[in-house]
Structures are given as structure tokens and as C-alpha cells.
Amino acid sequence: MKAEQIMKKQVIKVKEDASVRFVIEKFIENGISGVPVVNDGNEIVGYISDGDIMRFIGKHKENILNAFYYVTVLQGDDDEFEERARKILDYNVMKVAKKTVYTVNWDEDMEKIAYILGKKQIKKLPVERDGILVGIISRGDVIRRAFEFLI
């Protein structure tokens, strides 16, 4: 089975000039947690997820001491957190999005897709054809298709 047979063709995406506020609105409107970021030619230039946003607003500093790894939360009141949350809304999506995006070609085998999703611990894979975004595949899509004989 190939990517084109299991991918969703209606992809919710955002343009590279969008604000993080716009992205969050898309997440809320559509009940999703991540979207590809595309340029005017519909080429994938990034991917932003709720985790990327959480990493920004949950800012912390890291200390390494005596071979143990400690994470020390920044000291301060809730205003620092709220200020970071407010501030990020007006950021350009590309300031927060990942620029390295795992993708698959439209004719990729489902076994390789399952391997990538599992190995890279990602939830969704954008699907490209000739460098252009044409679909998206989630872990759930693969599981449903792989085990549809149970239904």
C-alpha cells in the first residue's frame, strides 16, 4: 500500500507569513495539534505543533551537575509565563516552527511510513509529490489501515 492510498488529501496548513495566533486558531477550530507550514508554491518550509509552542512558553534553563541532568524552572511570577504566552501570539510562525521536516513521497510504501512515524516519534508526516504538499498521514491513519481487518 502506498502513501497516496492512505493520506488525507485535505491538509490544514498555514503559510510561512502567518502568525502564531493564526496557527493556534487553526488548532482550536479543527481540533488538531500540528500543521505543515508552506510557501506560496505550496512547498513545505516548516512544521509547527502544540509541542513547539509549549517549549517556548514553558521556557526553562538546563543545568548539568555531577553527571546528573537537572532542569531548573526559571524563577519568577506567573506574569513571566503569561507575558511569554501573549508575546508568542504575534510571532511569525517560522520563529517557532521546526525547519527540518520529515516528509514522505506520495508513492512511499506504508511499511516505511510506519517505520518513520515510529522511529522519529512523530505524529504526522506530510506527503509530497514533486516537492509540493499533497497530503498528510497520521499514526492513526496507518493503524486504522493496517488493522482494518479487525473492524
Side-chain angles (χ1 to χ4, degrees), residues 42-57:
N42 210 36
E43 298 166 310
I44 301 165
V45 295
Y47 192 92
I48 185 166
S49 70
D50 54 1
D52 299 319
I53 295 167
M54 290 299 105
R55 277 186 287 283
F56 181 86
I57 63 175

Side-chain angles (χ1 to χ4, degrees), residues 24-86:
I24 292 171
E25 288 169 352
K26 287 289 182 191
F27 287 1
I28 294 167
E29 288 170 16
N30 296 284
I32 57 176
S33 59
V35 292
V37 182
V38 298
N39 62 18
D40 287 334
N42 210 36
E43 298 166 310
I44 301 165
V45 295
Y47 192 92
I48 185 166
S49 70
D50 54 1
D52 299 319
I53 295 167
M54 290 299 105
R55 277 186 287 283
F56 181 86
I57 63 175
K59 185 178 178 183
H60 64 275
K61 62 182 177 181
E62 300 165 354
N63 296 319
I64 298 177
L65 180 62
N66 295 332
F68 291 101
Y69 181 73
Y70 294 94
V71 175
T72 307
V73 177
L74 288 176
Q75 299 300 311
D77 54 30
D78 288 337
D79 289 340
E80 289 180 4
F81 173 82
E82 290 174 5
E83 181 58 29
R84 284 193 305 274
R86 273 193 292 277

